[in-house]
Structure formats: C-alpha cells, structure tokens
Amino acid sequence: MFSIGDFAKHGRVSVRMLRHYDGIGLLRPAHVDPFSGYRSYAGEQLARLNRVIALKDLGFTLTQVQEILDAEIGVDELRGMLRLRRAELEAAIAADETRLKAVEARLLSIESEGRMPSEDVVVKSLPAVRVAELTGTASGYVNEEIGPVVQRLYEELFPALGGITPSGPLIAYYEDEPDGERVLIHAAVPITAETNGTEGFSTVSLAEVPAAATILHRGSMKTVLSSYQALAKWVDAHGYRASGPAREYYVDCPADEDKWATELQQPITKA
C-alpha cells in the first residue's frame, strides 16, 4: 500500500488531484484509516489512474471518464477510443492552424493598406498555352475552401498524365459558375504531347493574353490574400479593369510551402 503522497509521486499527479478524484468517486483509496483519515492506495490502482489521466488529457470530461471506466472496457477498446479521440484533436488543431493562417493573411492586407506596390507589379503579355486540366468546384473564394480542391485535382491529374511530361509550371485559374453561387476551379499543367481525349483529363488551349498585371507572391498560398488585394488595388488605381480569370502560375513549389513562388496573373484592359 502507498500513502497518498507516494501514490501521487508514482502516478505523476498532485495530491490535491487525488483528493478531488476521491471526492467525486472517480478513484477511491483502497483504504482509509478510520481514526486518522489517511488515504492509502494499492499498486494496481495505478492502472485506473493511468486511464483517468489519458482520457482526461484527450479532452473527455471527468463525468465521461467515469462512465467509460465504470463500463470496464478492455484495453483494445480503450486504445481504439484513444486513437479516435486523437484523430479528432489532430483535425481540430489543423483547422485552428488554417484559421490562424487566414487571420495572418488578413492582417497582412490590413498592414499594407495605403501602400501601392507599383514597383512589384509588372504588365506583360501571356503566351497561348495548351494544358491538360481537371476541374472542380468550391463554395467560395475562401482559401480553406479552394485549397483542398486544388490539391485534390492535382493529385488526380498527375497519375492521369501517365507518360506525358509537363512542359512548364502548373497553372490554376478560377471562374464564377453561371449561377454565381460556386467557383469553378481549373487545375492545369502545360503539355505539348498529342492527346486523343481518352486520357482522363481535358485538353484546353488557353488563349494569348495581350496584357496582364502580374505580381510575384512568395510563401504559402494560405497567405496569398495580401498579394491578390495589392494586385487588385494596382489595377483599379491605374485605370484598368479585369478582362478574364486570374491565373496562378506556380513558378517554384518546393516541399516547404513557405518557400513557394507563385506569379499571380490578372488579364486587364483599359477601363
């Protein structure tokens, strides 16, 4: 038998916590001295303590922990529950990180208000290009809605290419669907090889663009908002208007997304 202090030490918890667990009936001492009130714990109670702490740290309430443990579930079932809960927490963390990236992008746009990046914008023509592409839809232009669709499309497009070698960097572009409710996403790669329409992708010829305002965005596409807004402000301030879908020309895409280089290309005409 262990004193409450020794049991707390072996279980890596506080004495106060053990007293609380005793008070709510979650982990009773093996013995309580009727005269002194001292609590004593048995070594085998460490197993229940380990389960309590693991479940609590994974986000279960103490009431839920007690219900789980009182059901006397087996180790395999408990491990399955822990894995499921871990997956849920990992998904929540990923969602929070995405939201933080979106806030960071919005803050960058706020910080750049009042500054015109005239030295960063280049007007140039875009040559005609023949591409293999797949299309999908998103409910809006929010990055966390578009990003996963673009990624999925490219994951499907590259296997469909088979032995066809891309002839240039990837190109993505977006269009409003006729009803205006959704966004049509094009994930494309330039090709020169002949196709017969049975390859599992569409072959499209993108027309030459006589004039496009372009700006180079460096970093993850999760932070592209400030670059897009800087380009839009430049177009408006210099008496132009958009004359077609903007393109994203992925100049360099290493494994570290924060080191990406993407040219944003907005076809323009004089307003």
Side-chain angles (χ1 to χ4, degrees), residues 62-82:
L62 292 181
T63 299
Q64 292 170 326
V65 170
Q66 186 155 11
E67 292 173 352
I68 292 170
L69 296 184
D70 288 348
E72 297 183 351
I73 63 174
V75 173
D76 290 342
E77 187 177 357
L78 178 61
R79 183 174 295 278
M81 294 178 63
L82 297 183

Side-chain angles (χ1 to χ4, degrees), residues 97-112 141-144 146-147 215-231 248 250 256-262 264:
E97 289 177 345
T98 298
R99 279 192 290 271
L100 285 174
K101 284 288 188 180
V103 172
E104 180 183 358
R106 195 68 66 174
L107 286 175
L108 286 173
S109 295
I110 293 172
E111 290 169 354
S112 66
Y141 283 96
V142 180
N143 186 70
E144 49 264 37
I146 285 183
I215 190 171
L216 188 64
H217 170 73
R218 296 191 179 277
S220 168
M221 295 305 288
K222 296 182 177 70
T223 61
V224 76
L225 176 65
S226 58
S227 296
Y228 260 127
Q229 291 193 351
L231 185 60
E248 294 172 355
Y250 301 106
D256 185 354
E257 290 188 17
D258 291 333
K259 296 180 180 179
W260 281 21
T262 307
L264 308 181

Side-chain angles (χ1 to χ4, degrees), residues 6 53 66 83 156 169 192 224 229 258 268:
D6 286 340
I53 300 303
Q66 186 155 11
R83 285 174 176 165
E156 296 174 1
T192 57
V224 76
Q229 291 193 351
D258 291 333
I268 55 174

Side-chain angles (χ1 to χ4, degrees), residues 5-144:
D6 286 340
F7 190 74
K9 179 175 66 177
H10 293 307
R12 296 297 189 269
V13 296
S14 68
V15 169
R16 181 177 59 82
M17 184 177 292
L18 289 177
R19 287 173 178 155
H20 178 60
Y21 291 166
D22 179 17
I24 63 175
L26 184 57
L27 181 59
R28 300 286 195 189
H31 176 73
V32 178
D33 187 283
F35 299 103
S36 65
Y38 288 164
R39 299 171 174 85
S40 299
Y41 293 82
E44 58 266 23
Q45 288 184 283
L46 287 170
R48 183 176 177 91
L49 178 61
N50 288 336
R51 287 164 169 76
V52 169
I53 300 303
L55 291 166
K56 181 177 72 70
D57 287 349
L58 281 171
F60 291 101
T61 67
L62 292 181
T63 299
Q64 292 170 326
V65 170
Q66 186 155 11
E67 292 173 352
I68 292 170
L69 296 184
D70 288 348
E72 297 183 351
I73 63 174
V75 173
D76 290 342
E77 187 177 357
L78 178 61
R79 183 174 295 278
M81 294 178 63
L82 297 183
R83 285 174 176 165
L84 177 61
R85 185 59 175 167
R86 180 172 61 187
E88 292 173 346
L89 291 175
E90 288 173 347
I93 290 171
D96 286 342
E97 289 177 345
T98 298
R99 279 192 290 271
L100 285 174
K101 284 288 188 180
V103 172
E104 180 183 358
R106 195 68 66 174
L107 286 175
L108 286 173
S109 295
I110 293 172
E111 290 169 354
S112 66
E113 289 174 357
R115 299 200 302 268
M116 292 303 300
S118 56
E119 70 280 3
D120 297 328
V121 175
V122 176
V123 176
K124 61 184 179 182
S125 63
L126 306 179
V129 60
R130 183 167 165 268
V131 300
E133 71 172 37
L134 292 178
T135 59
T137 59
S139 58
Y141 283 96
V142 180
N143 186 70
E144 49 264 37

Side-chain angles (χ1 to χ4, degrees), residues 233-267:
K233 288 189 289 186
W234 185 95
V235 168
D236 183 61
H238 287 76
Y240 292 100
R241 61 178 176 82
S243 61
R247 301 179 187 177
E248 294 172 355
Y249 186 75
Y250 301 106
V251 179
D252 189 21
C253 299
D256 185 354
E257 290 188 17
D258 291 333
K259 296 180 180 179
W260 281 21
T262 307
E263 186 176 77
L264 308 181
Q265 305 172 335
Q266 176 59 65

